[in-house]
Amino acid sequence: MRLFINQPLAVGNSITLNADTTHRLQKVMRARVGDAVTLFNGKDGEYVGEITSLSKKSATVLLSEHSQVDRESPLKVSLIQGISRGNRMDYTIQKSVELGVSAIIPVATKRSMVKLDEERKDNRMQHWQGVIHHACEQSGRTRVPQLHSPLPIKDIAELPDIDTSLFMDTQGTTRIADIDPPQAHVYLISGPEGGFDDDERQWIRELGVTPIKLGPRILRTETAALAAISVIQQLWGDL
């Protein structure tokens, strides 16, 4: 059992878990007093401890062992993802975390079917952050990818080194394998359902981004990003 805990951790400390985490321990993981559990906070490896108390609303874990394990890819991959609906966006975020991305940047595009006002944006951010934490728990990651607040597509022009990015483009002709390996960081730009429109596609190309294509078939939004990340990690990362 692995759990993300947003608090300082140290060997010898007794950590109190909140109601939500306790509920997951009991109802999802079927944990009991005496069970071993691994905690991480995204900053300092992972800690192994034992559940010493468990009630409906709280639990305590006594930490006994620390491991400075690091399972991060040597290549930083930031996913710039056109916002898609519900489970499709969740799936893309979840699996991209499992594949080792270091950051996720949701962007609003003309064809995005999800429109976020400030309240909905806050709710989505909290939900997506939970998806990221759970994916880190499942995949063994000890560092939590950064989740950026949603941006209009035009604002990606302000990101550092955006001209070294890769752009998933159905009209592209370049294969990822034909691109020179990046030094340490690469952005991957992937569209929502329906992709980018012609104006957005042209504007992204004018940024100096390399348009790429994954074979002759048209991929769904969640398939495209994950397929590209897999290829990138296989060529330049740690797959």
Side-chain angles (χ1 to χ4, degrees), residues 25-26 41 53 65 67 69 153 164 169 178 199 222 225 230:
L25 267 179
Q26 290 182 307
N41 59 11
S53 70
E65 183 180 342
S67 177
V69 62
I153 184 65
T164 63
D169 187 357
D178 296 331
D199 290 340
E222 63 270 34
S230 298

Side-chain angles (χ1 to χ4, degrees), residues 76-80 103 105 146 148 151 154-166 182 184-189 207-209:
K76 292 184 178 181
V77 181
S78 293
L79 173 62
I80 300 174
I105 307 169
Q146 181 180 5
H148 292 251
L151 302 173
K154 294 288 186 178
D155 285 3
I156 68 171
E158 305 302 320
L159 295 172
D161 302 320
I162 190 64
D163 58 337
T164 63
S165 304
L166 306 180
H185 183 205
V186 62
Y187 291 99
L188 175 67
I189 306 173
L207 291 177
V209 175

Side-chain angles (χ1 to χ4, degrees), residues 66-115:
H66 172 244
S67 177
Q68 192 61 55
V69 62
D70 186 357
R71 301 185 178 98
E72 297 305 296
S73 172
L75 177 69
K76 292 184 178 181
V77 181
S78 293
L79 173 62
I80 300 174
Q81 176 63 49
I83 299 172
S84 55
R85 289 181 294 180
N87 290 338
R88 290 182 179 179
M89 190 69 175
D90 290 358
Y91 186 86
T92 303
I93 291 173
Q94 179 191 64
K95 301 308 177 186
S96 67
V97 171
E98 292 178 20
L99 288 168
V101 299
S102 58
I104 298 169
I105 307 169
V107 292
T109 71
K110 292 180 181 178
R111 292 180 178 171
S112 291
M113 297 182 183
V114 178
K115 306 300 179 183

